[in-house]
Amino acid sequence: MRVTYCPYIFVRDCLLSRVCERAFALSSTCVNRWQSKWVGVFFTSYGRRFLYAFRFFFLPRQSVFLIQISMTGAFPRPFVITVGVPKGGECKTWVALNLAGLLGLWGHDVVVVDANPMHDLLKDYQVLEADSIWPRFDVVSDDLLTVDGSQAEDLDLSSQRHRDFIIYDTSQYVQLRTTKLAWAGCNLLILPITPSAQQIRNYLEALQLNNAFPGVRPPLLVLPCRCTVLKNAVAEKRLELLLEHLKDQGCIVPPFSREWRIPDNDTLKAQDTRWIFSELEFDGKKKVLSQDFLHKVIVSLVWIRSEIERIYGQFPAPKLRPIGTDDRTEMLARLAVEYADRTGRQRESAA
């Protein structure tokens, strides 16, 4: 939960609760380093004097000095991200796979829970493995139903507690136990949307379902996908109105213009996997996604990271050496080497 304070109220509340005696504990809740330093300096040395000075000189203009702080404490470990829409075919698996891949390329330890009955994400992952590529994350498959059609037992993820991030690729059916738990127990809920006006009812239903869960709800981030850049497109105009409405309802929406949103792409539809760095040989030619498309996807995924850090604080330190995405050939070569190392260690442990 993120709270907006003016400095006077912030200082007053902290003094009244005797936080001055534990200033550095409080500083760990701040979003960034300058806020942490500000708290540490003033609360330990100048607490009460600073309160009176602020009350006398700055209170009449306190609205100018708004400070946003995070009230969540330390960065959650593992950080749970759920990608969910109560409708199939709305880019849930695509977003989950590529967000996990980019987090992995940044060096973080990531596992994806494939809780979609068709297990499309796991199938894409297996295709990449067949091409001797490790996309820098692992996959746990969760079968939601038993052979007789009843709901399966809850998935035990106790072995995944060491991860930096757990990402749920959920089913469209929120009534299923695993989907409901993924929605209710995450740190961030991502709602992918497209310009299709026929799906607006489903997006609004997702908002209603999320708000209906008991307890404090996680932030709901809206990620537009399959957008067009036509200025006079009616579908895009309706999408803009939808984003404005969702923002008014408390959702997080992209601050950048539609020219930088994830566009629709024919080459992506022809690929064998949803991974944006996949390569396809067809008619004797290599088919890859353009750099322009990749840049727009990465802009949206980096924006997701910035929103997480704005709310929860800085990401944990990478566990692996980060891999850049600018040089596709070098990136794929490093992932192939890592795949060979992983499979070699697995064979040794199995022997």
Side-chain angles (χ1 to χ4, degrees):
M1 180 177 66
R2 181 174 54 82
V3 180
T4 300
Y5 277 100
C6 78
Y8 165 72
I9 298 175
F10 184 47
V11 176
R12 182 203 65 190
D13 291 347
C14 292
L15 286 174
L16 291 177
S17 60
R18 297 182 180 178
V19 180
C20 286
E21 299 174 3
R22 295 178 287 117
F24 290 102
L26 175 67
S27 67
S28 65
T29 68
C30 296
V31 169
N32 53 40
R33 293 177 181 175
W34 74 264
Q35 290 178 1
S36 177
K37 183 178 180 180
W38 183 84
V39 170
V41 171
F42 284 98
F43 279 33
T44 52
S45 303
Y46 306 103
R48 190 167 299 277
R49 283 176 288 177
F50 184 72
L51 169 64
Y52 286 121
F54 228 104
R55 178 185 298 174
F56 184 79
F57 292 105
F58 295 95
L59 183 57
R61 292 181 292 175
Q62 63 184 21
S63 60
V64 180
F65 297 89
L66 294 180
I67 297 178
Q68 292 181 338
I69 65 170
S70 170
M71 302 300 288
T72 58
F75 194 91
R77 299 284 295 274
F79 191 95
V80 180
I81 300 173
T82 294
V83 185
V85 184
K87 171 67 175 69
E90 290 298 298
C91 303
K92 291 190 299 294
T93 299
W94 188 89
V95 171
L97 189 150
N98 286 291
L99 178 58
L102 192 57
L103 287 170
L105 290 173
W106 288 336
H108 297 293
D109 191 357
V110 185
V111 63
V112 178
V113 180
D114 186 351
N116 192 313
M118 297 304 295
H119 296 312
D120 290 327
L121 192 146
L122 176 62
K123 294 173 183 175
D124 283 5
Y125 187 86
Q126 291 171 340
V127 170
L128 293 174
E129 285 190 318
D131 291 336
S132 300
I133 293 176
W134 179 48
R136 275 282 183 109
F137 63 88
D138 297 318
V139 177
V140 174
S141 177
D142 183 19
D143 292 317
L144 307 182
L145 302 175
T146 61
V147 291
D148 62 357
S150 59
Q151 294 199 39
E153 296 294 327
D154 295 341
L155 181 66
D156 182 10
L157 291 178
S158 58
S159 62
Q160 307 297 329
R161 291 176 180 172
H162 65 284
R163 303 284 187 172
D164 293 331
F165 293 90
I166 296 177
I167 299 178
Y168 277 92
D169 176 26
T170 60
S171 165
Q172 68 190 76
Y173 302 109
V174 186
Q175 299 86 348
L176 294 175
R177 183 186 300 115
T178 300
T179 306
K180 187 181 299 183
L181 291 174
W183 278 51
C186 63
N187 302 109
L188 179 72
L189 177 62
I190 297 179
L191 175 66
I193 67 173
T194 67
S196 176
Q198 293 85 6
Q199 307 304 332
I200 292 178
R201 292 182 293 270
N202 294 315
Y203 305 145
L204 297 179
E205 181 181 352
L207 177 60
Q208 294 174 353
L209 289 170
N210 183 62
N211 293 337
F213 283 109
V216 179
R217 301 304 310 125
L220 195 159
L221 183 144
V222 180
L223 182 65
C225 302
R226 297 178 184 166
C227 299
T228 61
V229 296
L230 299 178
K231 294 183 179 180
N232 296 320
V234 177
E236 290 293 336
K237 292 181 179 180
R238 298 195 66 178
L239 177 63
E240 294 291 342
L241 294 176
L242 175 62
L243 290 173
E244 291 179 8
H245 174 72
L246 293 175
K247 183 178 180 179
D248 292 339
Q249 297 300 312
C251 300
I252 304 171
V253 302
F256 40 85
S257 62
R258 62 185 180 184
E259 288 79 8
W260 282 100
R261 294 172 190 163
I262 300 173
D264 199 8
N265 188 281
D266 290 333
T267 303
L268 186 64
K269 300 174 186 176
Q271 288 185 336
D272 295 328
T273 77
R274 294 165 180 80
W275 193 46
I276 57 175
F277 299 108
S278 290
E279 296 184 345
L280 171 68
E281 291 286 344
F282 188 76
D283 283 342
K285 298 180 181 179
K286 181 187 293 186
K287 304 291 183 180
V288 299
L289 293 170
S290 67
Q291 286 297 323
D292 179 69
F293 179 83
L294 294 178
H295 287 159
K296 291 179 179 179
V297 173
I298 292 175
V299 163
S300 288
L301 299 183
V302 170
W303 167 68
I304 293 176
R305 171 174 181 157
S306 69
E307 290 298 325
I308 294 175
E309 291 191 319
R310 179 179 65 85
I311 299 169
Y312 291 96
Q314 290 184 330
F315 269 29
K319 294 181 180 179
L320 302 172
R321 181 183 173 188
I323 298 178
T325 59
D326 291 336
D327 190 331
R328 183 197 302 266
T329 302
E330 180 182 356
M331 179 194 68
L332 293 176
R334 287 189 57 182
L335 293 179
V337 171
E338 291 184 356
Y339 174 81
D341 293 340
R342 279 168 55 87
T343 54
R345 290 194 299 269
Q346 290 172 355
R347 292 195 192 98
E348 292 177 357
S349 60

